[in-house]
Amino acid sequence: MTDLISAPSATTEKQAETPRSTDDSVTSVLAPEGSAPTEVLPPVSGEPPLEWAPIEPAPKKKRLGLWIGLGVGAVVLGAGAASMFLIAPGTTIAGVPVGFMTPGAAADAVSSHLAQTEVTLTGAGDDAVLTGADLGATIDATALADEAFAAHPMWNVTAWGTTVPGTITLDATTAETALRDAVPTSFVDPVDAAVSFDAASSTYVVTPSEAGTAIDVDALTTAISDAVADGSRSVEFSGDPTAALAPVTDDSANAVAASLNNMIGSIGFYVGEERTVPVDPATAATWLSVVDEGGELRIEADQAAIQATVDTLPGIVDRAPVNAVNIVNSKGEVLKAETEGVVGRTIGDTSNFAADFATQLEAGNGVFPLTVVEAPFETTSLFRRIDVNLSTQTTTLYENDVVVQSYRISSGKSATPTQTGNFTVRAHVRIQDMVGADYVTKDVPWVTYFNGDQAFHGTYWHSNYGTPMSHGCVNMPIDVAKYVYEFAPLGLEVSVHN
């Protein structure tokens, strides 16, 4: 209620003392618009009415400029704060506008744009429509949005209006399934090239691939990428069939077959350079198979099948040493290895052989080295010589100066004597015709030449041994001549004397 102060006057005081009738009331007098109202008391009889004078209110200060300033400041501060977490205007990701957006909103916008992009399949597609979502279209929207914000924040005016490229991909399985459902007539499955073992030739052979048809998913991916980059949400693409090569090509199959054939030509267990335990191609084929993994062929080896052969190794590889026996002359020079020396050996632990060989085979290596413990052999030398005594008509064979055999013989007659001297064996002839000035002897066996055309040989035309009978050779029984033939290597010393 407005406080009123009365104007001091004698009339006022008098009026206060004069009683009023009970029906008197205060009358409000409307003040001009914008001023306080004035109250008027009813008059005392015969007196003019009294008025209350209002207190003038203090004028209020006008602050319109301050409020306008605060508003503008708030807007400026808000814009500055926003520039700290928004992407610069004019920025696009893979063609999708993301300016004035937070990275999260930008990622959603890019993903949504791609998912909603429509592909109309023309031609054989009969204008069927698929969306990016139907085709499994994806882009790394979150990473690209973060990249866009990091490189092109709103506060950096020099980075406004920039494109951030992105790679769009289609999930191959999802896309093919959707396309097959939409245009089944455009799809004929190709047939992969295959590798198999041919028992007749004992080699691996290739069955060639056969091409099929499909809608080109790679070309479709490019078309979608181009459309999105242009800011479009739709693209037309031919649904007509294109050639679809088999995932397993002839070249791939031929390479695997060549590797397998190379392996089975030398596959086995080796001690040094020796292929100690060969594995025949048919057996190797039971160990090996060719596996197709997403269009890539690889060799797979069966460890259990290999183990069956590994179990036989000790019986084949282990052996005792064999001592060497050499025939030598009087100087100790080796004329012949009568018995070749053989190193003994024992195979080691075979428990990991099957697994290790399987790994090698899968890598294309069929040579498995065996580790063995070796036992050396000893060497024995035999000094052999032959002595021909023309006086006694005997031939004696010595080994380390011990008589091995002694036989009666027939040497040359007086007109065609056997020459005396020290000689060495120069040749061996299993059987031959002997021809002289006055004779021809057919099929003379076991001929051992020691002096020109004089030789030890078998005689079938007489048995008068102990008496000179020949044209200069040493006649012997056939079995004796054979023994001498085998006893006397090239270079063996022969002494002929009276």
Side-chain angles (χ1 to χ4, degrees):
M1 179 178 181
T2 303
D3 293 329
L4 299 177
I5 302 176
S6 60
S9 66
T11 305
T12 302
E13 291 175 1
K14 182 179 180 179
Q15 186 179 22
E17 294 174 356
T18 304
R20 299 180 183 180
S21 63
T22 56
D23 58 350
D24 290 342
S25 60
V26 177
T27 302
S28 294
V29 179
L30 294 177
E33 183 177 356
S35 62
T38 301
E39 291 185 351
V40 180
L41 295 177
V44 179
S45 177
E47 293 184 5
L50 298 178
E51 296 183 2
W52 296 99
I55 298 174
E56 292 294 331
K60 295 183 179 180
K61 295 180 179 180
K62 295 183 180 179
R63 294 182 173 82
L64 179 58
L66 175 60
W67 287 109
I68 293 175
L70 288 174
V72 172
V75 170
V76 171
L77 289 174
S83 72
M84 301 304 292
F85 56 85
L86 297 180
I87 297 172
T91 303
T92 62
I93 296 176
V96 179
V98 294
F100 295 108
M101 296 184 187
T102 64
D108 290 342
V110 172
S111 296
S112 176
H113 186 109
L114 181 58
Q116 295 173 14
T117 297
E118 293 186 342
V119 176
T120 301
L121 298 172
T122 61
D126 198 23
D127 292 339
V129 176
L130 297 172
T131 65
D134 296 332
L135 296 165
T138 58
I139 189 171
D140 194 351
T142 299
L144 292 170
D146 290 341
E147 177 187 339
F149 175 68
H152 313 290
M154 182 174 170
W155 59 263
N156 184 0
V157 296
T158 63
W160 291 17
T162 305
T163 296
V164 177
T167 301
I168 294 172
T169 60
L170 300 186
D171 180 77
T173 301
T174 303
E176 182 175 334
T177 299
L179 292 168
R180 278 179 180 270
D181 290 344
V183 197
T185 57
S186 290
F187 287 83
V188 175
D189 291 335
V191 178
D192 287 332
V195 179
S196 59
F197 182 74
D198 177 46
S201 64
S202 293
T203 61
Y204 283 88
V205 296
V206 172
T207 302
S209 63
E210 297 179 11
T213 61
I215 296 175
D216 191 338
V217 173
D218 290 339
L220 177 56
T221 302
T222 300
I224 293 174
S225 298
D226 292 344
V228 173
D230 291 340
S232 176
R233 288 181 179 270
S234 64
V235 59
E236 289 189 353
F237 190 80
S238 174
D240 293 337
T242 59
L245 298 178
V248 179
T249 65
D250 293 352
D251 287 345
S252 176
N254 284 325
V256 171
S259 177
L260 286 165
N261 287 327
N262 181 61
M263 279 200 299
I264 64 175
S266 60
I267 189 171
F269 298 86
Y270 287 70
V271 176
E273 297 297 319
E274 174 191 87
R275 189 182 179 191
T276 309
V277 184
V279 177
D280 64 271
T283 299
T286 66
W287 296 2
L288 304 170
S289 57
V290 179
V291 179
D292 176 5
E293 287 188 347
E296 293 294 329
L297 296 182
R298 67 175 180 84
I299 299 170
E300 187 171 82
D302 185 342
Q303 183 176 329
I306 297 171
Q307 185 64 50
T309 299
V310 170
D311 291 340
T312 69
L313 293 179
I316 300 172
V317 176
D318 292 357
R319 70 186 180 198
V322 177
N323 292 332
V325 178
N326 294 327
I327 300 172
V328 300
N329 60 17
S330 59
K331 296 178 181 179
E333 297 169 341
V334 176
L335 304 178
K336 177 185 178 183
E338 183 78 347
T339 303
E340 294 285 354
V342 178
V343 174
R345 65 191 179 201
T346 304
I347 198 170
D349 180 18
T350 65
S351 58
N352 293 323
F353 281 11
D356 292 345
F357 202 4
T359 300
Q360 278 193 204
L361 291 168
E362 289 174 356
N365 181 5
V367 176
F368 190 82
L370 297 176
T371 301
V372 296
V373 177
E374 295 185 338
F377 60 84
E378 297 179 355
T379 301
T380 300
S381 294
L382 301 177
F383 168 43
R384 290 181 179 178
R385 62 187 177 88
I386 298 176
D387 181 85
V388 179
N389 189 324
L390 299 178
S391 299
T392 60
Q393 288 292 289
T394 57
T395 292
T396 304
L397 280 55
Y398 290 89
E399 190 172 86
N400 292 341
D401 292 327
V402 175
V403 174
V404 176
Q405 296 286 350
S406 185
Y407 308 99
R408 293 180 68 79
I409 54 97
S410 291
S411 63
K413 296 179 290 188
S414 58
T416 54
T418 302
Q419 296 177 7
T420 60
N422 294 317
F423 311 101
T424 58
V425 172
R426 70 173 188 85
H428 298 84
V429 179
R430 169 63 186 80
I431 190 169
Q432 71 174 111
D433 296 342
M434 289 190 172
V435 180
D438 57 352
Y439 70 92
V440 174
T441 306
K442 304 288 288 183
D443 298 331
V444 179
W446 306 110
V447 182
T448 304
Y449 287 98
F450 61 87
N451 177 26
D453 59 358
Q454 294 187 344
F456 303 105
H457 61 72
T459 305
Y460 58 83
W461 54 92
H462 79 83
S463 58
N464 193 21
Y465 302 112
T467 301
M469 296 286 293
S470 77
H471 292 90
C473 289
V474 178
N475 291 178
M476 296 176 160
I478 292 175
D479 61 332
V480 173
K482 179 176 184 293
Y483 188 90
V484 171
Y485 184 98
E486 295 172 345
F487 177 85
L490 295 177
L492 187 87
E493 296 164 65
V494 177
S495 175
V496 181
H497 59 88
N498 290 314

